[in-house]
Amino acid sequence: MDLSSYTLSPLRVGDLTLYRGRANGGAPALLLIAEKTSFVHLERLEHEYALRGELDAAWAARPVS
């Protein structure tokens, strides 16, 4: 997913920062970024990604990658 045309706004700041991405003509995006790479953060991101099949797309943002 090319995010070069997106403007990112932080929604939650911390070890894992949540950003909202907006672009003209592009689909909106949420990005969860580990500010400091650690095994704990990697495990958390992998766990959240593994739950993607259980999320109802009608109300939840489902991870794409």
Side-chain angles (χ1 to χ4, degrees):
M1 180 174 205
D2 179 19
L3 299 174
S4 62
S5 64
Y6 280 74
T7 301
L8 302 178
S9 305
L11 298 175
R12 182 185 71 208
V13 178
D15 289 339
L16 293 174
T17 300
L18 180 64
Y19 292 94
R20 174 182 300 152
R22 295 184 181 182
N24 287 338
L30 291 174
L31 293 98
L32 187 61
I33 299 172
E35 298 295 333
K36 297 177 184 173
T37 305
S38 75
F39 187 70
V40 172
H41 295 129
L42 180 59
E43 282 185 323
R44 181 173 170 186
L45 290 171
E46 287 176 342
H47 175 72
E48 291 180 9
Y49 185 74
L51 296 174
R52 72 190 175 280
E54 299 177 32
L55 298 174
D56 182 353
W59 61 267
R62 296 181 67 187
V64 291
S65 62

